[in-house]
Coordinates of all heavy atoms in Angstrom, one line a residue:
L30 N -12.4 4.3 1.0 CA -12.1 5.7 1.1 C -11.5 6.2 -0.3 O -11.9 7.3 -0.7 CB -10.9 5.9 2.2 CG -11.5 5.9 3.6 CD1 -10.4 5.6 4.6 CD2 -12.2 7.3 3.9
K31 N -10.8 5.4 -1.0 CA -10.3 5.7 -2.3 C -11.4 5.9 -3.3 O -11.5 6.9 -4.1 CB -9.3 4.7 -2.7 CG -8.5 5.1 -4.0 CD -7.4 4.0 -4.3 CE -6.7 4.5 -5.6 NZ -5.7 3.5 -6.0
A32 N -12.4 5.0 -3.1 CA -13.6 5.1 -4.1 C -14.4 6.3 -3.8 O -15.1 6.8 -4.7 CB -14.4 3.8 -3.9
S33 N -14.4 6.9 -2.6 CA -15.1 8.1 -2.4 C -14.3 9.4 -2.3 O -14.7 10.4 -1.8 CB -15.8 8.0 -1.0 OG -14.8 7.9 0.0
D34 N -13.1 9.2 -2.9 CA -12.2 10.4 -3.0 C -11.8 10.9 -1.6 O -11.6 12.1 -1.4 CB -12.8 11.5 -3.9 CG -11.7 12.5 -4.4 OD1 -10.5 12.1 -4.5 OD2 -12.1 13.6 -4.6
W35 N -11.7 9.9 -0.7 CA -11.2 10.2 0.7 C -12.3 11.1 1.5 O -11.9 11.8 2.3 CB -9.9 10.8 0.8 CG -8.9 9.7 0.3 CD1 -8.4 9.4 -0.9 CD2 -8.3 8.8 1.2 NE1 -7.6 8.4 -0.9 CE2 -7.5 7.9 0.4 CE3 -8.3 8.5 2.6 CZ2 -6.7 6.8 0.9 CZ3 -7.5 7.4 3.1 CH2 -6.8 6.6 2.2
H36 N -13.5 11.0 1.1 CA -14.6 11.6 1.9 C -15.1 10.6 2.8 O -15.7 9.6 2.4 CB -15.7 12.2 1.0 CG -15.2 13.4 0.2 ND1 -14.9 14.5 0.7 CD2 -15.1 13.5 -1.2 CE1 -14.5 15.4 -0.2 NE2 -14.7 14.8 -1.4
L37 N -15.1 10.8 4.1 CA -15.4 9.8 5.1 C -16.9 9.4 5.0 O -17.2 8.2 5.0 CB -15.1 10.3 6.5 CG -14.9 9.3 7.6 CD1 -13.8 8.3 7.3 CD2 -14.5 10.0 8.9
E38 N -17.8 10.4 4.9 CA -19.2 10.0 4.8 C -19.5 9.1 3.6 O -20.3 8.2 3.6 CB -20.0 11.2 4.8 CG -19.9 12.2 6.0 CD -20.2 11.5 7.3 OE1 -21.1 10.6 7.3 OE2 -19.6 11.7 8.3
G39 N -18.9 9.5 2.4 CA -19.1 8.8 1.2 C -18.5 7.4 1.3 O -19.1 6.4 0.8
A40 N -17.4 7.3 2.0 CA -16.8 5.9 2.2 C -17.7 5.1 3.0 O -17.8 3.8 2.7 CB -15.4 6.1 2.9
F41 N -18.4 5.6 4.0 CA -19.3 4.8 4.8 C -20.4 4.2 3.9 O -20.8 3.1 4.0 CB -20.0 5.6 5.9 CG -19.1 6.0 7.0 CD1 -19.0 7.2 7.6 CD2 -18.2 5.0 7.6 CE1 -18.2 7.4 8.7 CE2 -17.3 5.2 8.7 CZ -17.4 6.5 9.2
D42 N -20.9 5.2 3.1 CA -22.0 4.7 2.1 C -21.5 3.6 1.2 O -22.3 2.7 0.9 CB -22.5 5.9 1.3 CG -23.3 6.9 2.1 OD1 -23.8 6.5 3.2 OD2 -23.4 8.1 1.7
V43 N -20.3 3.8 0.7 CA -19.7 2.7 -0.2 C -19.6 1.4 0.5 O -20.1 0.4 0.1 CB -18.3 3.1 -0.7 CG1 -17.6 1.9 -1.4 CG2 -18.5 4.3 -1.7
F44 N -19.1 1.5 1.8 CA -18.9 0.3 2.6 C -20.2 -0.5 2.9 O -20.4 -1.7 2.7 CB -18.2 0.6 3.9 CG -17.9 -0.5 4.8 CD1 -16.9 -1.5 4.5 CD2 -18.7 -0.7 6.0 CE1 -16.7 -2.5 5.3 CE2 -18.5 -1.8 6.8 CZ -17.5 -2.7 6.5
Y45 N -21.2 0.3 3.4 CA -22.5 -0.3 3.8 C -23.4 -0.7 2.7 O -24.4 -1.4 2.9 CB -23.1 0.6 4.9 CG -22.4 0.6 6.2 CD1 -22.0 1.8 6.7 CD2 -22.2 -0.6 6.9 CE1 -21.4 1.8 7.9 CE2 -21.5 -0.5 8.1 CZ -21.1 0.6 8.6 OH -20.4 0.7 9.8
S46 N -23.2 -0.2 1.5 CA -24.0 -0.5 0.4 C -23.5 -1.7 -0.4 O -24.1 -2.2 -1.4 CB -24.2 0.7 -0.6 OG -23.0 1.0 -1.1
Q47 N -22.3 -2.2 -0.1 CA -21.7 -3.3 -0.8 C -22.5 -4.6 -0.6 O -22.8 -5.0 0.5 CB -20.2 -3.6 -0.4 CG -19.3 -2.4 -0.8 CD -17.9 -2.7 -0.3 OE1 -17.7 -3.5 0.6 NE2 -16.9 -1.9 -0.8
P48 N -22.8 -5.2 -1.7 CA -23.6 -6.5 -1.6 C -23.0 -7.5 -0.7 O -23.5 -8.2 0.1 CB -23.8 -7.0 -3.0 CG -23.6 -5.7 -3.8 CD -22.6 -4.9 -3.1
Q49 N -21.6 -7.6 -0.8 CA -20.9 -8.6 0.0 C -21.0 -8.4 1.5 O -20.9 -9.3 2.3 CB -19.4 -8.7 -0.4 CG -18.6 -7.5 -0.2 CD -18.5 -6.7 -1.5 OE1 -19.6 -6.6 -2.2 NE2 -17.4 -6.1 -1.8
I50 N -21.1 -7.1 1.9 CA -21.3 -6.8 3.3 C -22.6 -7.3 3.8 O -22.8 -8.0 4.8 CB -21.3 -5.3 3.5 CG1 -19.9 -4.7 3.1 CG2 -21.6 -4.9 5.0 CD1 -18.8 -5.3 3.9
K51 N -23.7 -7.1 3.0 CA -25.0 -7.6 3.4 C -25.1 -9.2 3.4 O -25.8 -9.7 4.2 CB -26.1 -7.1 2.4 CG -26.2 -5.5 2.4 CD -27.3 -5.1 1.5 CE -27.4 -3.5 1.5 NZ -28.4 -3.1 0.6
A52 N -24.3 -9.7 2.5 CA -24.3 -11.2 2.5 C -23.8 -11.9 3.7 O -24.0 -13.0 4.0 CB -23.4 -11.6 1.2
F53 N -23.0 -11.1 4.5 CA -22.4 -11.7 5.8 C -23.5 -11.9 6.8 O -23.3 -12.6 7.8 CB -21.4 -10.7 6.3 CG -20.1 -10.7 5.4 CD1 -19.3 -9.5 5.4 CD2 -19.7 -11.8 4.7 CE1 -18.2 -9.5 4.6 CE2 -18.6 -11.7 3.9 CZ -17.8 -10.6 3.9
T54 N -24.6 -11.2 6.6 CA -25.7 -11.3 7.7 C -26.2 -12.8 7.7 O -26.6 -13.3 6.7 CB -26.8 -10.4 7.5 OG1 -27.4 -10.6 6.2 CG2 -26.3 -8.9 7.6
D55 N -26.2 -13.3 8.9 CA -26.7 -14.7 9.1 C -28.2 -14.6 9.6 O -28.5 -14.1 10.7 CB -25.8 -15.4 10.2 CG -26.1 -16.8 10.3 OD1 -27.4 -17.2 10.4 OD2 -25.2 -17.6 10.6
S56 N -29.1 -15.1 8.8 CA -30.5 -15.0 9.1 C -30.8 -15.7 10.5 O -31.7 -15.3 11.2 CB -31.4 -15.5 8.0 OG -31.1 -16.9 7.8
R57 N -30.1 -16.8 10.8 CA -30.3 -17.4 12.0 C -30.0 -16.5 13.2 O -30.8 -16.5 14.2 CB -29.5 -18.7 12.1 CG -29.7 -19.6 13.3 CD -28.9 -20.9 13.2 NE -27.5 -20.7 12.7 CZ -26.5 -20.4 13.5 NH1 -26.8 -20.3 14.9 NH2 -25.3 -20.3 13.1
H58 N -28.9 -15.8 13.1 CA -28.6 -14.9 14.2 C -29.5 -13.8 14.3 O -29.8 -13.3 15.4 CB -27.2 -14.3 13.9 CG -26.0 -15.4 14.1 ND1 -24.8 -15.2 13.6 CD2 -26.0 -16.5 14.8 CE1 -24.0 -16.2 13.9 NE2 -24.7 -17.1 14.6
L59 N -30.1 -13.3 13.2 CA -31.1 -12.3 13.2 C -32.4 -12.7 13.9 O -33.0 -11.9 14.6 CB -31.4 -11.8 11.7 CG -30.2 -11.1 11.1 CD1 -30.6 -10.6 9.7 CD2 -29.8 -9.8 11.8
E60 N -32.7 -13.9 13.5 CA -33.9 -14.5 14.3 C -33.7 -14.6 15.8 O -34.6 -14.2 16.6 CB -34.2 -16.0 13.8 CG -34.7 -16.0 12.3 CD -36.2 -16.0 12.3 OE1 -36.9 -16.0 13.4 OE2 -36.8 -15.9 11.3
E61 N -32.5 -15.0 16.2 CA -32.2 -15.0 17.6 C -32.2 -13.6 18.2 O -32.8 -13.4 19.3 CB -30.8 -15.6 17.8 CG -30.7 -17.1 17.5 CD -29.3 -17.6 17.6 OE1 -28.4 -16.9 17.8 OE2 -29.1 -18.9 17.2
L62 N -31.7 -12.7 17.5 CA -31.8 -11.2 18.0 C -33.2 -10.8 18.1 O -33.6 -10.2 19.2 CB -31.0 -10.3 17.1 CG -29.6 -10.0 17.4 CD1 -29.1 -9.0 16.3 CD2 -29.4 -9.4 18.7
Y63 N -34.0 -11.0 17.1 CA -35.4 -10.7 17.2 C -36.2 -11.3 18.3 O -36.9 -10.6 19.1 CB -36.1 -11.0 15.8 CG -37.6 -10.7 15.9 CD1 -38.1 -9.4 15.8 CD2 -38.5 -11.8 16.0 CE1 -39.4 -9.2 15.8 CE2 -39.9 -11.5 16.0 CZ -40.3 -10.2 15.9 OH -41.7 -10.0 16.0

Side-chain angles (χ1 to χ4, degrees):
L30 283 161
K31 193 174 179 182
S33 65
D34 199 23
W35 291 90
H36 292 294
L37 203 54
E38 300 302 323
F41 288 138
D42 288 339
V43 168
F44 179 75
Y45 288 123
S46 64
Q47 289 175 349
Q49 60 265 40
I50 299 298
K51 295 181 183 179
F53 290 149
T54 58
D55 185 323
S56 58
R57 180 171 50 84
H58 290 162
L59 292 179
E60 287 273 354
E61 289 172 1
L62 266 183
Y63 174 75

